[in-house]
């Protein structure tokens, strides 16, 4: 959120006599170009910010300047506090700034969202600490990553951000072996560790221009028609969008949707057990039938 970053930048400048653009970029986790844009925004907001050239130069604020509450409306103050509260939940080091602004505005913000990156087993706690440090400090990360075929590959990446998409957490990073931005599912990452080294220039450029989009290969989606018993309602509304679900007179559900191809579709359908039937496509019906026969053979006495 830009307004949060502007206040962080403002507090840094108020606490120090002079700060270089490179130092601000490092502390704010942005590019030097973004620092100059933010400096311009502060000037336009009435902050007497100036810059000096040379070895001892940098950004500074006139010592007579006093921060005024009137810079933001009451609604903007609440929006800023709520954003910082959510950021603090993820451990993004905004707790100190949040406390300062709450005291300055004389207001309390409600914690409207709770963010917990750990899984239910609690085993992912230490991994999250490693991800957070690597992202905030721009450190290289080495990890084992398991693909759909179950094979692990050693990856060295430049981590950008943790991304929540489609009911799962992902690590967005520049992969040094693929020389491109990639999306890694957190549940498939094992033994992440920070290693010596710096981001190459192409990684910095990729982070500055990165847009959060899926980087999986473009492929034709599968038209899936499924009928599920009413006892599976708790699953249906988790797995499919409401627009694709049509309740039937007998209480069952007809689902008409599209899915990207992959072996995981068969696994999802089998997880419904006897309470669901694939109607289309025909080849998936056949795969389910064959899989069910193999399962039955395993349980025969």
């Amino acid at each position: 959120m830009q307004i949060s970053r502007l206040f962080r930048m403002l507090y840094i400048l108020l606490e120090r006599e002079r700060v270089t653009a490179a130092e601000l970029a490092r502390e704010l986790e942005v590019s030097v170009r973004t620092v100059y844009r933010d400096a311009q925004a502060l000037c336009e907001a009435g902050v007497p910010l100036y810059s000096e050239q040379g070895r001892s130069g940098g950004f500074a604020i006139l010592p007579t300047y006093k921060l005024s509450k009137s810079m933001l409306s009451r609604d903007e103050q609440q929006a800023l506090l709520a954003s910082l509260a959510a950021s603090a939940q993820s451990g993004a080091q905004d707790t100190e700034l949040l406390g300062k602004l709450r005291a300055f505005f004389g207001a309390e913000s409600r914690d409207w969202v709770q963010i917990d990156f750990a899984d239910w087993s609690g085993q992912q706690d230490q991994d999250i600490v490693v991800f957070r440090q690597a992202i905030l400090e721009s450190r290289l990360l080495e990890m084992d990553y398991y693909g759909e075929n179950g094979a692990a590959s050693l990856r060295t990446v430049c981590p950008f951000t943790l991304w929540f998409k489609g009911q799962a957490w992902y690590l967005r990073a520049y992969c040094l072996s693929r020389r491109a931005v990639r999306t890694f599912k957190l549940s498939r990452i094992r033994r992440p560790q920070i290693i010596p080294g710096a981001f190459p220039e192409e990684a910095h450029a990729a982070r500055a221009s990165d847009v959060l989009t899926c980087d999986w290969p473009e492929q034709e989606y599968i038209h899936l028609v499924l009928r599920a018993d009413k006892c599976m309602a708790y699953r249906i509304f988790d797995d499919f969008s409401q627009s694709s679900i049509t309740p039937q007179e007998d209480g069952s559900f007809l689902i008409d949707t599209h899915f990207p191809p992959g072996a995981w579709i068969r696994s999802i359908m089998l997880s419904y057990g006897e309470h669901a039937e694939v109607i289309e496509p025909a080849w998936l019906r056949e795969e389910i039938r064959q899989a069910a026969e193999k399962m039955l053979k395993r349980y025969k006495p």
Side-chain angles (χ1 to χ4, degrees):
M1 183 178 182
Q2 185 190 25
I3 193 169
S4 171
R5 190 175 66 246
L6 289 176
F7 266 90
R8 290 178 62 190
M9 181 175 177
L10 181 56
Y11 265 108
I12 292 172
L13 293 170
L14 287 171
E15 290 178 346
R16 307 180 196 176
E17 182 178 347
R18 190 171 286 103
V19 188
T20 67
E23 290 172 333
L24 286 170
R26 184 167 56 253
E27 294 195 33
L28 299 175
E29 297 291 330
V30 295
S31 66
V32 172
R33 181 180 298 179
T34 299
V35 168
Y36 279 101
R37 285 201 299 263
D38 287 350
Q40 180 64 33
L42 288 175
C43 290
E44 293 174 355
V47 178
L49 178 66
Y50 65 95
S51 63
E52 293 182 350
Q53 304 297 320
R55 179 177 300 178
S56 60
F59 287 104
I61 294 178
L62 291 177
T64 56
Y65 175 73
K66 299 295 182 182
L67 183 60
S68 173
K69 297 180 183 180
S70 62
M71 289 181 63
L72 297 176
S73 67
R74 193 64 178 175
D75 288 343
E76 289 173 331
Q77 293 174 20
Q78 289 297 326
L80 174 61
L81 292 174
S83 175
L84 287 175
S87 180
Q89 288 287 336
S90 65
Q93 307 301 326
D94 277 325
T95 305
E96 183 179 356
L97 177 60
L98 175 61
K100 288 180 178 179
L101 287 180
R102 278 176 171 168
F104 177 72
F105 291 138
E108 288 290 333
S109 64
R110 294 181 178 179
D111 294 335
W112 63 284
V113 62
Q114 294 285 333
I115 300 175
D116 187 353
F117 293 111
D119 58 8
W120 288 106
S121 69
Q123 297 177 357
Q124 207 171 25
D125 288 0
Q126 294 304 314
D127 290 350
I128 296 301
V129 173
V130 175
F131 294 141
R132 181 175 60 201
Q133 181 183 356
I135 292 170
L136 295 179
E137 298 179 6
S138 297
R139 305 283 297 277
L140 291 181
L141 193 66
E142 187 178 80
M143 62 191 188
D144 291 331
Y145 190 69
Y146 287 80
E148 287 189 356
N149 60 359
S153 60
L154 183 64
R155 302 290 188 96
T156 301
V157 302
C158 305
F160 296 164
T161 186
L162 291 181
W163 184 26
F164 185 77
K165 177 73 173 179
Q167 302 180 1
W169 285 104
Y170 299 87
L171 175 68
R172 188 74 167 178
Y174 182 85
C175 181
L176 295 185
S177 60
R178 301 296 189 271
R179 294 292 174 183
V181 176
R182 289 291 182 264
T183 304
F184 302 94
K185 195 170 185 179
L186 255 60
S187 60
R188 296 183 183 177
I189 296 175
R190 297 292 185 273
R191 299 190 306 168
Q193 58 180 335
I194 294 173
I195 61 173
F199 284 21
E201 288 301 321
E202 61 264 29
H204 287 294
R207 178 167 59 181
S209 60
D210 186 39
V211 177
L212 287 179
T213 57
C214 293
D215 47 51
W216 299 295
E218 292 186 5
Q219 48 199 344
E220 185 177 352
Y221 276 46
I222 296 170
H223 181 210
L224 175 66
V225 180
L226 170 74
R227 185 184 298 274
D229 295 341
K230 61 181 180 181
C231 64
M232 300 304 291
Y234 74 99
R235 281 284 308 277
I236 294 300
F237 289 96
D238 279 345
D239 293 342
F240 306 98
S241 65
Q242 187 171 356
S243 60
S244 66
I245 303 171
T246 303
Q248 304 298 293
E249 292 184 1
D250 61 357
S252 64
F253 300 93
L254 185 68
I255 299 94
D256 191 324
T257 187
H258 291 79
F259 268 99
W264 58 274
I265 298 180
R266 184 176 61 187
S267 297
I268 291 179
M269 296 301 99
L270 287 171
S271 70
Y272 281 83
E274 72 274 20
H275 298 297
E277 177 190 1
V278 173
I279 300 175
E280 295 180 23
W283 61 262
L284 182 57
R285 281 181 61 92
E286 179 61 19
E287 284 191 6
I288 298 297
R289 186 190 65 78
Q290 292 179 10
E293 288 182 351
K294 291 179 181 179
M295 291 173 63
L296 182 60
K297 288 180 180 179
R298 285 183 176 270
Y299 290 95
K300 282 185 177 181

